[in-house]
Amino acid sequence: MGGSRFQIDADFQSEKCVGDTSSAGDADRISRLPDDILLDILSLLSLKESARTSVLSSHWINLWKHTPSLDFDDAQASIDKLYNQPDLRKGERRKYMRWVDSVCRSHESPTLKEFKIRFPINRSTRNAKSIARWLRFALSRRVRRLELDVEDLYGSSSKKCCFLNKLLNPRTLVDFGSLKELMSLNNVDVSDGTIEFFLNTCPLLERLIVRFSKQMSRLEIYGPSLVLKHLEIKFCLGLESLKVSVPSLTSLSVTSLNGLSLENVPMLVDLSVHVVDDNTSLYRLFHRLLSRCISQLQTLHLSLSNIGFSSAELDELWELPQMPRLKKLVIEYCHKWYLYPREDRQQRNEYAIIKIPHRHLKVFEFRGYYGCSNDAGLISYVLENCVVLEKIIIDHCFTLGNSDSESKKWKKLQERMRNKSLHH
Amino acid sequence: MAAETGTPTTLTLKSNDDELFSVAESAAILSVTIRNMVEDGCAGGVIPLDNVDGKTLASVITYMNGISAIPADEEKKKSYRDKFLSDKDFETLADMVLAANYLNMSCLMDAVSAKIAQVMEKKSVGWVRRKFGIENDYTPEEEAAVKEEHKWTFEGVETDDDN
């Protein structure tokens, strides 16, 4: 077991010298690989699996403590199973928190590539202290990617999770400057001011993701010196306006919003909008709010969460403005299709003129294909009019073969797609 | 791998057991170690690679030629790597990862590491020990203590037969 640069517990080492007389043998090739290579291998395993290697032999006992990635993500499933058993959930939660604490205590890597927490933690003061402690640990190890998701679906969520206040307290302020690759906050209540603070203190951050924060109202993301490339602000109830002016931004993902304003985004090519119908109309979204950047887009992803489109709104969807550079268009219906009878979707006027921009469109993806004539009509149009189309992906959300008419329609569509591919 | 001489874009590599290999420079510079030598002008004669034996070097050169023949298409490159490594036993993989480390070829290193990790994944401690011939040098008491300290790593493990 020669050559390890890691400390092995003195107890084990001295006992081993006395107790173990069998030859090391040439067979144990893997343990003789350089530690750097073994760490590369361990980094590819889950945290639990990589730490389990400590039991293999004394050579491995401390290796896992030097892996650069801490992903505390594999406990979610166990707590999901306990959704109606609050006492057991409480036990699982305590166990999770002890687990994170003990790993943070024993981990020895001076720098971290990734630190990821995903667990429903209820928002008591004590838990806030724990989360603040973990983040302080991760930031003290110069973490580059930080992901935090502390949703508590079943517990009381009236209390605010105030761990960020602890971190942002000027007296105990920690340095966020190491965050370069990613900061992702899910179900963490961050205010406008906090986000602006983060951007000021993480000048090298490339990706920022905030979902399900209830405390934001008027957010402004701007700064000529930011290097932000990807920004996602989604499902933040209470957010009234979002102003984005970041010259380096290439990819943006937002929920539709009346107060959306994109100003200086010359590099933006990839836009994803989750359209919520009670916020703003598609027409206003594309012809007013996004009009400034629409002509430069190469990828557009529209998620439509509502099911009750009026005919007028559907027509709006077919009348997207011209997007001369668009290469990929994704339309996704995110409805809970099993909750609604199929007839609920309104019939689109078959004769409406669809103005999908089509000169450069190579990939068309339709998720949540529902099998009604609206859907089939859209695909027919794309097949007819997108002259350089290379790929069409249809992800249907019904079981094929349920009824004869559905499978006939589907077969017909497949037939047309095959014919289309023969032409090219 | 027959040696050919003459063309300026061909390099000659020498393994630590004195086998000579010729390889196109464009393929060989996948190795940052070799690329640096070429850039420094030290690649004129024979390039000695003291940490790589002939058998491994032949295999690495096959990989260099194969992967550099694929145009910039990450999916195709990945499927080539998967196929290339699919029939290699652990001894060969270990030689290869050491060679890739020495030659500074990150794409090959990552692929071999992933392959080894894949073998270890979701296996019991006992299985991994047997598969890789890892000698358990713990006394039963020590092993019990290490297991106790890392109890959380055994939660949810199905293969409990012989760990």
Side-chain angles (χ1 to χ4, degrees):
Chain A
M1 41 161 268
S4 170
R5 61 162 191 257
F6 305 122
Q7 282 190 336
I8 290 168
D9 290 18
D11 286 355
F12 288 141
Q13 208 154 28
S14 57
E15 278 179 40
K16 183 194 170 285
C17 294
V18 181
D20 187 9
T21 50
S22 62
S23 71
D26 288 312
D28 193 357
R29 185 82 201 277
I30 190 165
S31 302
R32 287 184 288 114
L33 288 175
D35 292 332
D36 289 345
I37 294 178
L38 289 179
L39 284 177
D40 279 347
I41 295 168
L42 291 186
S43 307
L44 297 164
L45 297 171
S46 73
L47 180 54
K48 270 189 184 175
E49 291 205 290
S50 113
R52 196 155 69 229
T53 60
S54 58
V55 186
L56 288 172
S57 78
S58 61
H59 182 79
W60 295 76
I61 189 166
N62 286 323
L63 263 177
W64 73 274
K65 296 175 186 170
H66 296 260
T67 52
S69 162
L70 287 176
D71 179 354
F72 298 94
D73 190 25
D74 57 355
Q76 183 75 30
S78 63
I79 200 141
D80 281 348
K81 279 188 219 144
L82 303 173
Y83 64 94
N84 54 0
Q85 301 174 60
D87 287 347
L88 290 177
R89 284 172 57 79
K90 212 168 164 183
E92 281 293 311
R93 204 178 278 141
R94 280 214 197 99
K95 212 162 83 187
Y96 182 86
M97 303 192 73
R98 276 203 303 269
W99 174 40
V100 179
D101 276 335
S102 90
V103 170
C104 289
R105 264 198 310 272
S106 60
H107 206 72
E108 291 172 21
S109 175
T111 57
L112 286 177
K113 212 156 79 183
E114 175 186 57
F115 189 84
K116 191 167 168 186
I117 293 282
R118 192 166 91 90
F119 202 72
I121 293 166
N122 69 349
R123 296 162 184 203
S124 67
T125 315
R126 207 173 117 214
N127 292 349
K129 271 187 191 160
S130 296
I131 298 174
R133 189 168 62 240
W134 301 338
L135 293 190
R136 213 171 274 138
F137 163 82
L139 291 163
S140 74
R141 302 287 169 98
R142 311 293 302 153
V143 66
R144 296 210 302 271
R145 302 171 59 94
L146 179 66
E147 290 183 57
L148 194 57
D149 184 348
V150 290
E151 178 182 28
D152 189 10
L153 275 181
Y154 313 105
S156 74
S157 55
S158 54
K159 285 185 202 159
K160 297 274 185 321
C161 198
C162 54
F163 63 89
L164 283 170
N165 300 345
K166 293 182 193 306
L167 288 179
L168 303 179
N169 181 335
R171 276 186 303 160
T172 54
L173 192 62
V174 289
D175 180 8
F176 287 80
S178 64
L179 288 173
K180 288 180 188 165
E181 288 167 27
L182 171 70
M183 182 192 298
S184 166
L185 304 170
N186 263 315
N187 302 291
V188 179
D189 281 338
V190 276
S191 65
D192 310 337
T194 311
I195 295 291
E196 283 154 22
F197 169 83
F198 279 144
L199 288 171
N200 281 329
T201 49
C202 312
L204 302 174
L205 190 66
E206 291 187 354
R207 294 169 69 85
L208 174 66
I209 299 175
V210 182
R211 298 190 195 113
F212 302 104
S213 167
K214 295 189 207 85
Q215 281 190 20
M216 295 197 291
S217 61
R218 293 172 177 280
L219 185 60
E220 287 191 15
I221 299 204
Y222 63 94
S225 62
L226 291 178
V227 296
L228 208 58
K229 287 184 183 149
H230 174 86
L231 174 67
E232 180 170 337
I233 307 280
K234 267 181 157 176
F235 314 117
C236 294
L237 294 176
L239 187 63
E240 288 166 14
S241 69
L242 172 62
K243 190 170 144 190
V244 181
S245 177
V246 182
S248 57
L249 200 70
T250 58
S251 145
L252 174 69
S253 184
V254 287
T255 310
S256 67
L257 208 64
N258 248 321
L260 185 65
S261 145
L262 303 182
E263 289 185 1
N264 187 11
V265 286
M267 308 281 279
L268 186 69
V269 289
D270 181 354
L271 177 69
S272 169
V273 187
H274 194 103
V275 182
V276 184
D277 62 342
D278 51 1
N279 269 351
T280 187
S281 69
L282 278 172
Y283 185 86
R284 188 174 148 74
L285 189 70
F286 282 97
H287 292 270
R288 297 277 158 74
L289 304 177
L290 301 172
S291 59
R292 204 173 288 208
C293 69
I294 207 83
S295 64
Q296 68 201 50
L297 295 181
Q298 291 177 14
T299 302
L300 175 64
H301 185 139
L302 282 180
S303 306
L304 310 165
S305 64
N306 47 351
I307 182 158
F309 271 120
S310 68
S311 316
E313 280 166 328
L314 275 169
D315 283 344
E316 281 176 6
L317 175 62
W318 314 137
E319 290 182 25
L320 295 177
Q322 290 292 325
M323 286 177 262
R325 301 202 181 154
L326 199 69
K327 290 189 182 132
K328 181 174 176 181
L329 173 65
V330 182
I331 290 184
E332 176 177 25
Y333 283 113
C334 315
H335 48 236
K336 300 269 192 298
W337 60 276
Y338 47 86
L339 294 180
Y340 301 95
R342 187 154 308 159
E343 295 73 48
D344 269 9
R345 280 271 288 283
Q346 300 188 15
Q347 292 287 310
R348 195 182 60 82
N349 175 4
E350 289 289 329
Y351 301 103
I353 299 161
I354 307 166
K355 290 180 187 160
I356 298 270
H358 53 259
R359 291 193 194 286
H360 300 274
L361 197 68
K362 288 187 176 159
V363 182
F364 176 70
E365 200 172 326
F366 190 1
R367 297 191 204 157
Y369 177 81
Y370 207 62
C372 62
S373 52
N374 290 352
D375 300 355
L378 177 58
I379 292 169
S380 296
Y381 177 81
V382 170
L383 287 174
E384 295 299 323
N385 294 287
C386 296
V387 286
V388 295
L389 197 70
E390 287 171 359
K391 205 178 198 176
I392 181 161
I393 301 163
I394 300 171
D395 177 9
H396 54 80
C397 65
F398 61 90
T399 319
L400 287 169
N402 265 359
S403 80
D404 278 354
S405 69
E406 270 168 17
S407 41
K408 265 184 205 153
K409 252 189 250 169
W410 181 247
K411 276 186 187 141
K412 217 167 137 189
L413 203 62
Q414 283 179 315
E415 185 73 17
R416 292 191 58 187
M417 283 191 267
R418 266 197 298 275
N419 290 341
K420 176 80 178 172
S421 69
L422 285 178
H423 290 301
H424 286 269
Chain B
M1 196 63 56
E4 16 171 293
T5 48
T7 54
T9 51
T10 302
L11 303 178
T12 305
L13 310 180
K14 190 170 93 175
S15 66
N16 63 6
D17 45 3
D18 294 330
E19 271 191 76
L20 293 178
F21 298 87
S22 71
V23 57
E25 185 186 293
S26 58
I29 57 172
L30 272 176
S31 151
V32 177
T33 308
I34 295 176
R35 190 169 68 209
N36 288 343
M37 287 176 166
V38 171
E39 279 167 8
D40 295 346
C42 317
V46 172
I47 301 176
L49 300 171
D50 297 337
N51 288 11
V52 190
D53 64 39
K55 182 173 161 258
T56 308
L57 189 54
S59 201
V60 170
I61 288 171
T62 307
Y63 171 81
M64 282 171 161
N65 288 330
I67 203 89
S68 60
I70 299 170
D73 179 336
E74 202 33 56
E75 255 174 59
K76 281 185 188 147
K77 284 188 192 235
K78 190 188 173 303
S79 77
Y80 175 80
R81 276 193 283 266
D82 289 348
K83 197 161 164 263
F84 177 74
L85 296 175
S86 64
D87 59 344
K88 305 279 187 285
D89 60 13
F90 177 70
E91 278 301 306
T92 314
L93 291 176
D95 289 334
M96 201 108 69
V97 78
L98 286 170
N101 191 31
Y102 171 70
L103 293 168
N104 200 348
M105 291 173 68
S106 58
C107 64
L108 182 57
M109 263 197 75
D110 292 349
V112 179
S113 300
K115 173 94 184 166
I116 297 172
Q118 205 186 347
V119 174
M120 297 173 84
E121 220 168 32
K122 297 193 171 72
K123 302 296 192 317
S124 70
V125 171
W127 190 94
V128 174
R129 275 191 195 131
R130 279 196 305 277
K131 175 80 185 173
F132 293 100
I134 295 171
E135 186 207 356
N136 176 13
D137 59 356
Y138 290 131
T139 65
E141 295 77 28
E142 286 168 1
E143 185 169 339
V146 181
K147 268 191 183 169
E148 178 61 27
E149 193 194 327
H150 297 87
K151 210 160 61 181
W152 54 274
T153 67
F154 290 91
E155 280 164 11
V157 179
E158 304 288 335
T159 50
D160 241 0
D161 52 327
D162 58 0
N163 62 30

